């Protein structure tokens, strides 16, 4: 008996084959084999990016940014603290385990743990003042030959606000500016296009499609970047554009998104590796529970590094995972300037481009306000729900210690009951809260 091996029919449609490769992990990426020029560029890029990262890390600026990230998300003080140890609660009758409870937290869980969202309120107020008043510009001709085109330039400026969604982009810029004290962005010509299958003929069963190119966006773009993933020259000075000679930023997108832009370069499909996202959202640490399964993440993320050097007239795009040089050239701008733009909230020093943020200004008063507010609420609760003491405690039946807890007592025989009289918060408590908040 002859056994016939049947092979699967090859997939001819490029789009369907790409989906099949992605689902079945048929991606075959080679190890990066750089030529002589790419070896030099990779070595220089690795050296400079590491130096810029270490320089900012040593300044402890990023620690302040992490504090601001945690404080910006509304939460109580328990979420800010580390997760306590937990044990399973067991049913004494059935012996079955049920929910998990924190160890040593039950006696104190009545205390108020509120945290005022002061930073969020102040940033939203700043954005309302700066952004939502519809920024306007006055364009003045610097030479007589430009006087006739001033109105045209102003119309183009207004058009840019509508097409590139500039107002919402400005909101992101102001958010970073207030929260981190430093905000950064880039200007570049952006084009987004893709191939679309258009139905030409159909008899109900058979359909004929033709491929056409669709352009989603083709204009100048001013994009706000995440300051946590942007690094600038160590010699950068505040309010001095020419002091910044080099900078780079790292960006994550799906493989398909980057492919529409960089897929024409040979090294992209040959060497770029897909992986899960390495970025951590601002509130991820607050909501993470070590006993829970980590969130599933998509696995087709590509992380690229974009590097610019003005004095060396160099522009490089590198895949972070494989270290492959995707593209390199002189700076795209004919004037030789960097695409970077940045500013600070409040000047920190004459040598630091990183400004003082709103969080740094108010964090001491914010901590004092939360402490006073929670103490006042605790006192108010105890004055309403009085705790009562009883006679008869001893080292035999217990340790003789009683923790204050509102509305708590224990039934005994032949004992006197005495209530703990706690006066309510006085006027000075409420006045102190108002003063602390107004100061912040």
């Amino acid at each position: 008996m002859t056994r016939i091996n049947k092979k699967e029919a090859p997939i001819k449609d490029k789009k369907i084959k790409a989906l099949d490769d992605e689902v079945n992990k048929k991606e075959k990426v080679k190890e990066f084999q750089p030529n002589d020029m790419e070896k030099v560029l990779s070595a220089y890029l690795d050296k400079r990016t590491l130096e810029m990262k270490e320089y900012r890390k040593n300044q402890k600026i990023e620690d302040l940014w992490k504090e601001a990230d945690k404080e910006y998300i509304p939460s109580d003080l328990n979420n800010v603290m580390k997760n306590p140890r937990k044990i399973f609660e067991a049913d004494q009758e059935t012996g079955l385990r049920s929910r998990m409870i924190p160890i040593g937290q039950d006696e104190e869980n009545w205390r108020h743990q509120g945290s005022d969202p002061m930073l969020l309120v102040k940033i939203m107020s700043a954005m309302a003042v700066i952004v939502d008043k519809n920024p306007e510009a006055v364009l003045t001709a610097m030479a007589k030959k430009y006087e006739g085109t001033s109105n045209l330039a102003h119309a183009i400026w207004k058009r840019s606000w509508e097409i590139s969604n500039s107002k919402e982009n400005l909101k992101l810029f102001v958010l970073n500016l207030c929260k981190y004290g430093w905000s950064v962005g880039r200007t570049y010509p952006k084009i987004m296009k893709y191939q679309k299958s258009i139905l030409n003929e159909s008899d109900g069963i058979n359909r004929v499609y033709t491929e056409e190119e669709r352009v989603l966006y083709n204009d100048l773009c001013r994009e706000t970047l995440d300051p946590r993933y942007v690094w600038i020259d160590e010699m950068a000075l505040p309010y001095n554009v020419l002091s910044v000679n080099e900078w780079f930023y790292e960006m994550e997108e799906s493989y398909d998104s980057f492919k529409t832009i960089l897929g024409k370069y040979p090294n992209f499909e040959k060497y770029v590796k897909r992986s899960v996202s390495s970025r951590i959202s601002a509130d991820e640490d607050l909501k993470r529970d070590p006993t829970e399964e980590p969130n599933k993440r998509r696995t087709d993320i590509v992380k690229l590094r974009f590097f610019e050097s003005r004095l060396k007239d160099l522009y490089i795009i590198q895949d972070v995972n494989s270290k492959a040089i995707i593209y390199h050239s002189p700076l795209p701008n004919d004037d030789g300037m960097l695409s970077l733009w940045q500013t600070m909230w409040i000047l920190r020093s004459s040598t630091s481009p990183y400004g003082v943020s709103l969080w740094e200004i108010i964090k001491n008063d914010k901590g004092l306000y939360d402490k006073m507010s929670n103490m006042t609420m605790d006192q108010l609760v105890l004055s309403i729900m009085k705790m009562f003491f009883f006679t008869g405690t001893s080292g035999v039946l217990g340790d003789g210690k009683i923790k204050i807890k509102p509305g708590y007592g224990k039934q005994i025989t032949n004992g006197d009951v005495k209530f703990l009289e706690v006066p309510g918060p006085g006027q000075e408590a409420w006045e102190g809260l108002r003063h602390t908040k107004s100061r912040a």
Side-chain angles (χ1 to χ4, degrees):
M1 185 174 181
T2 305
R3 189 171 188 178
I4 301 175
N5 294 325
K6 295 184 178 180
K7 295 183 179 180
E8 295 182 359
I11 299 175
K12 296 182 179 180
D13 191 293
K14 292 182 179 180
K15 294 182 180 179
I16 301 300
K17 187 177 186 307
L19 293 175
D20 181 62
D21 291 344
E22 184 173 340
V23 172
N24 296 299
K25 305 296 181 183
K26 294 180 181 178
E27 178 187 27
K28 295 181 180 179
V29 179
K30 300 178 182 179
E31 290 297 323
F32 180 45
Q33 301 294 331
N35 55 35
D36 292 341
M37 181 180 293
E38 290 173 343
K39 287 181 181 179
V40 175
L41 293 177
S42 294
Y44 181 75
L45 195 59
D46 292 342
K47 173 180 177 294
R48 288 298 295 128
T49 54
L50 180 61
E51 289 173 347
M52 282 189 268
K53 284 186 175 183
E54 289 296 326
Y55 177 78
R56 192 172 77 185
K57 184 178 180 180
N58 293 335
Q59 288 190 318
K60 308 299 182 183
I61 298 294
E62 296 174 358
D63 295 338
L64 295 172
W65 292 356
K66 291 179 181 178
E67 288 182 14
D69 283 335
K70 292 183 178 181
E71 187 63 32
Y72 179 75
I73 305 298
S75 62
D76 55 32
L77 295 180
N78 283 330
N79 284 342
V80 178
M81 295 186 294
K82 294 182 178 179
N83 293 315
R85 293 172 53 222
K86 296 181 180 180
I87 60 174
F88 277 104
E89 184 183 44
D91 189 329
Q92 298 298 326
E93 295 182 359
T94 63
L96 299 176
R97 293 187 302 178
S98 57
R99 62 190 179 93
M100 295 189 71
I101 59 173
I103 299 176
Q105 299 292 317
D106 185 62
E107 293 296 327
E108 301 293 331
N109 62 5
W110 67 273
R111 290 185 177 274
H112 191 259
Q113 296 291 340
S115 178
D116 190 272
M118 190 178 295
L119 181 61
L120 176 107
V121 173
K122 288 188 174 297
I123 291 179
M124 291 300 104
S125 301
M127 291 177 65
V129 173
I130 297 174
V131 181
D132 288 337
K133 289 187 177 296
N134 293 321
E136 186 55 75
V138 177
L139 304 183
T140 304
M142 302 302 294
K144 189 174 181 179
K145 62 180 180 179
Y146 297 125
E147 290 179 355
T149 59
S150 296
N151 292 334
L152 176 61
H154 186 267
I156 294 175
W157 179 82
K158 293 287 288 185
R159 171 181 174 273
S160 174
W161 275 90
E162 298 297 330
I163 292 180
S164 59
N165 210 21
S166 297
K167 187 174 181 179
E168 281 65 32
N169 197 34
L170 179 59
K171 290 180 181 179
L172 298 177
F173 189 83
V174 174
L175 171 65
N176 292 335
L177 190 62
C178 297
K179 186 162 68 168
Y180 301 124
W182 181 65
S183 197
V184 62
R186 63 171 180 143
T187 303
Y188 67 104
K190 181 177 182 179
I191 180 169
M192 297 178 64
K193 57 185 180 181
Y194 67 101
Q195 296 295 323
K196 178 70 177 70
S197 298
I198 307 298
L199 180 62
N200 268 359
E201 300 177 9
S202 175
D203 58 4
I205 300 178
N206 300 315
R207 290 169 290 179
V208 178
Y209 291 89
T210 57
E211 292 289 320
E212 293 186 8
E213 187 178 78
R214 289 287 184 265
V215 178
L216 294 177
Y217 185 90
N218 186 7
D219 211 309
L220 194 66
C221 180
R222 291 175 176 85
E223 179 183 18
T224 299
L225 301 174
D226 190 338
R228 298 177 299 167
Y229 301 98
V230 178
W231 293 266
I232 62 175
D233 196 342
E234 302 92 324
M235 304 307 294
L237 299 174
Y239 306 124
N240 188 345
V241 177
L242 298 179
S243 66
V244 182
N245 175 46
E246 294 178 333
W247 78 293
F248 76 97
Y249 63 96
E250 294 176 350
M251 181 177 294
E252 287 186 345
E253 284 284 356
S254 67
Y255 180 86
D256 292 336
S257 296
F258 274 138
K259 186 178 179 180
T260 59
I261 304 173
L262 304 172
K264 59 186 176 182
Y265 302 115
N267 284 0
F268 183 85
E269 292 195 18
K270 191 185 299 183
Y271 300 124
V272 166
K273 294 183 178 180
R274 312 178 202 189
S275 63
V276 298
S277 174
S278 61
R279 291 194 173 190
I280 299 177
S281 61
D283 61 336
E284 185 173 345
D285 288 334
L286 302 179
K287 299 179 180 178
R288 184 183 299 164
D289 189 335
T291 63
E292 295 179 357
E293 185 179 355
N295 294 331
K296 297 290 191 300
R297 296 186 178 183
R298 58 187 301 177
T299 58
D300 65 333
I301 300 300
V302 174
K303 186 174 185 179
L304 298 185
R305 178 178 293 146
F306 299 80
F307 177 86
E308 295 182 15
S309 176
R310 178 169 52 86
L311 295 181
K312 290 183 171 56
D313 192 21
L314 192 59
Y315 178 66
I316 304 174
I317 302 176
Q318 182 189 41
D319 177 35
V320 176
N321 293 324
S322 66
K323 299 297 182 180
I325 301 295
I326 307 302
Y327 174 79
H328 64 87
S329 72
L331 285 177
N333 296 333
D334 291 339
D335 57 8
M337 301 300 292
L338 304 176
S339 62
L340 166 78
W341 38 275
Q342 54 152 340
T343 191
M344 68 190 71
W345 183 249
I346 295 177
L347 188 65
R348 180 179 298 273
S349 70
S350 60
T351 58
S352 176
Y354 305 106
V356 178
S357 66
L358 273 176
W359 169 240
E360 290 183 74
I361 299 172
I362 70 171
K363 71 174 185 176
N364 291 329
D365 288 329
K366 167 64 168 52
L368 177 61
Y369 178 81
D370 284 343
K371 181 179 179 180
M372 293 179 60
S373 176
N374 291 327
M375 290 173 62
T376 302
M377 292 300 105
D378 291 346
Q379 185 176 357
L380 181 61
V381 170
L382 286 172
S383 66
I384 298 174
M385 298 181 63
K386 296 180 175 60
M387 177 181 177
F388 52 91
F389 294 87
F390 54 87
T391 59
T393 59
S394 67
V396 177
L397 301 177
D399 58 6
K401 297 179 181 179
I402 300 176
K403 290 187 177 181
I404 297 177
K405 193 173 183 180
Y408 178 79
K410 184 176 181 180
Q411 183 179 3
I412 60 172
T413 58
N414 300 325
D416 296 331
V417 177
K418 293 183 179 180
F419 284 89
L420 175 65
E421 296 293 337
V422 178
Q427 185 63 31
E428 64 276 3
W430 305 111
E431 190 64 33
L433 288 175
R434 284 191 291 269
H435 171 73
T436 305
K437 194 164 189 177
S438 63
R439 170 187 167 89

